């Protein structure tokens, strides 16, 4: 959602994987109190609605623990929101779907005001290598915005991008930089 055109919407509790309480009747089943800590809500008072139990209970899913865990769902959402704000071309740019050479992979390119981001998503449960043709970008660098690393766009042929199961890569396109020794001019 964060890489597609428009404004992404996060439903209440989605950022921590908040569960629903299907023991409660009707629409109140999805109106679970926010689980701020292992104890539940903001205070030791009894919540207005019951908390879910089991693996979605507050002892397993809560904001306090996820804020401390660098690999948590909350931290992943925070990273996506930060990168989304740094990439206005994702929301407002020209959207172009790309062939990734694999049926489980959705790839697209977003261009705006001379800036380009390429997003590649593996929607499958097996690791794959996407092969994406990036017309007009040969020799450019792709800087991964979600993890450290860069990939060079080859002069001919597709860019090969390994993706974990359900993995994603957002890549900022930039001109290839000259090595430091070529970029500096010594005046004597």
């Amino acid at each position: 959602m964060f890489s597609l055109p428009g404004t992404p919407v996060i439903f209440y509790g989605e950022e921590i994987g908040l569960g629903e309480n299907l023991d409660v009747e009707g629409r109140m089943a999805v109106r679970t109190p926010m689980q701020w800590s292992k104890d539940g809500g903001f205070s030791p008072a009894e919540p207005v609605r019951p908390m879910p139990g089991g693996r979605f209970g507050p002892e397993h899913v809560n904001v306090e623990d996820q804020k401390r865990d660098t690999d948590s769902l909350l931290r992943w959402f925070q990273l996506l929101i930060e990168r989304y704000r740094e990439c206005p071309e994702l929301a407002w740019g020209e959207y172009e779907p790309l062939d990734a050479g694999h049926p489980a992979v959705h790839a697209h390119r977003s261009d705006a005001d001379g800036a380009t981001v390429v997003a590649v998503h593996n929607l499958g449960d097996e690791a794959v290598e996407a092969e994406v043709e990036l017309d007009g970008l040969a020799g450019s660098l792709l800087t991964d915005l979600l993890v450290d690393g860069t990939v060079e766009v080859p002069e001919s042929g597709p860019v090969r991008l390994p993706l974990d199961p359900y993995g994603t890569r957002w890549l900022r396109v930039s001109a290839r930089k000259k090595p430091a020794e070529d970029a500096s001019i010594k005046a004597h």
Side-chain angles (χ1 to χ4, degrees):
M1 286 186 340
F2 283 91
S3 74
L4 296 175
T7 303
V9 176
I10 301 171
F11 291 103
Y12 173 84
E14 196 172 29
E15 70 278 17
I16 65 166
L18 185 66
E20 300 166 348
N21 190 347
L22 301 179
D23 294 332
V24 178
E25 295 261 339
R27 67 185 194 153
M28 298 310 271
V30 298
R31 295 186 173 189
T32 306
M34 181 57 79
Q35 297 170 183
W36 295 103
S37 69
K38 290 179 193 273
D39 299 326
F42 283 115
S43 72
E46 189 66 31
V48 176
R49 290 179 296 282
M51 297 276 189
R55 65 183 189 159
F56 292 103
E59 62 277 2
H60 301 289
V61 178
N62 66 73
V63 174
E64 185 176 72
D65 288 349
Q66 289 194 29
K67 284 174 83 173
R68 292 186 179 113
D69 180 0
T70 57
D71 293 326
S72 72
L73 184 59
L74 177 62
R75 292 297 186 130
W76 175 245
F77 266 86
Q78 288 173 330
L79 177 65
L80 288 176
I81 291 166
E82 287 173 14
R83 295 303 178 264
Y84 175 79
R85 288 180 176 166
E86 294 169 0
C87 302
E89 57 272 39
L90 289 175
W92 312 113
E94 185 177 326
Y95 173 87
E96 178 188 348
L98 301 170
D99 180 14
H102 195 283
V105 177
H106 173 72
H108 65 91
R109 169 182 176 159
S110 297
D111 298 283
D113 299 326
T116 301
V117 172
V118 175
V120 185
H121 308 279
N122 180 6
L123 305 176
D125 61 356
E126 295 179 8
V128 298
E129 183 175 81
E131 296 182 3
V132 183
E133 289 282 349
L134 296 173
D135 296 333
L137 299 177
S140 298
L141 283 181
L142 303 175
T143 302
D144 203 312
L145 300 174
L146 301 176
V147 296
D148 290 334
T150 59
V151 177
E152 188 172 337
V153 179
E155 292 297 328
S156 64
V159 174
R160 298 181 192 285
L161 299 166
L163 294 163
D164 291 332
Y166 306 109
T168 186
R169 300 193 58 188
W170 291 5
L171 304 150
R172 162 105 34 224
V173 177
S174 60
R176 185 167 186 224
K177 296 180 181 172
K178 293 181 182 178
E181 63 272 7
D182 294 342
S184 62
I185 299 174
K186 296 181 181 180
H188 288 334

